[in-house]
Amino acid sequence: MTYDPNNIFAKILRGEIPCNKVYEDDFALSFHDINPQAPIHVLVIPRGPYVSMTDFSAKASSEEITGFFRAVDKVITKLNLDKDGYRILANTGLHGGQEVPHLHFHIFAGKQLGRMLI
Ligand code: AMP
C-alpha cells in the first residue's frame, strides 16, 4: 500500500485538522480517538509517512523506531495506565480493518476490556 499524504492523520500532523492532543515529541503524536471504544481510547502515530508496521520497520530510521515506542510509553505513563493496565492494538490492512492508512496504535483503558476479540 502506498502512503496517501491526504489521509486524515497526515492532515492532523500538518495541523490542518485539530485533535485533542495527549502528547507529542519529535517522533510521535498522540491524541484522543474521536469515536472512543473504551473510557480511555487514545491513538499514537509516528510523525513519518508510514502505512503499517511493515512499512515502518522497513523504512524508518532506528531513531524514529525507538522514539515512537518510547512515545507510546510516555503516553501510558502520562495517563497513568500502567497500574490498572491497558490494551494496545494496531489494525492493519483489509483483514485487520484498518480505516486510516497511517500507522497508528490504539491504546484502550479505563475498564476491564474483556476478551481479546469479539
Ligand atoms: P483504524 O480502524 O484502526 O484505522 O482506526 C482509525 C481510528 O481513527 C478510528 O478509531 C477513528 O475513530 C479514529 N479517527 C478518525 N478520524 C479521527 C480524528 N479526526 N480524530 C481522532 N480520531 C479519529
Side-chain angles (χ1 to χ4, degrees), residues 8-9 12 31-35 43 91 97-100 104 106:
I8 194 136
F9 293 169
I12 288 173
F31 48 94
H32 291 274
D33 195 291
I34 206 167
N35 183 21
L43 302 169
N91 294 320
Q98 182 176 8
E99 292 171 7
V100 180
H104 51 285
H106 296 257

Side-chain angles (χ1 to χ4, degrees), residues 70-98:
R70 291 238 160 88
V72 172
D73 192 58
K74 291 209 168 117
V75 173
I76 289 162
T77 301
K78 184 169 184 179
L79 297 178
N80 198 25
L81 304 183
D82 210 30
K83 180 172 167 289
D84 290 331
Y86 53 87
R87 180 172 295 161
I88 294 177
L89 181 79
N91 294 320
T92 307
L94 182 63
H95 285 191
Q98 182 176 8

Side-chain angles (χ1 to χ4, degrees), residues 16-80:
E16 294 166 14
I17 291 177
C19 70
N20 186 0
K21 196 180 297 175
V22 174
Y23 175 80
E24 70 176 328
D25 61 22
D26 288 348
F27 303 103
L29 172 66
S30 175
F31 48 94
H32 291 274
D33 195 291
I34 206 167
N35 183 21
Q37 304 296 307
I40 297 169
H41 181 179
V42 301
L43 302 169
V44 191
I45 67 176
R47 286 204 179 273
Y50 307 109
V51 177
S52 65
M53 273 303 296
T54 301
D55 195 24
F56 187 55
S57 175
K59 296 179 190 156
S61 67
S62 300
E63 194 183 22
E64 283 176 285
I65 293 171
T66 303
F68 176 69
F69 279 94
R70 291 238 160 88
V72 172
D73 192 58
K74 291 209 168 117
V75 173
I76 289 162
T77 301
K78 184 169 184 179
L79 297 178
N80 198 25

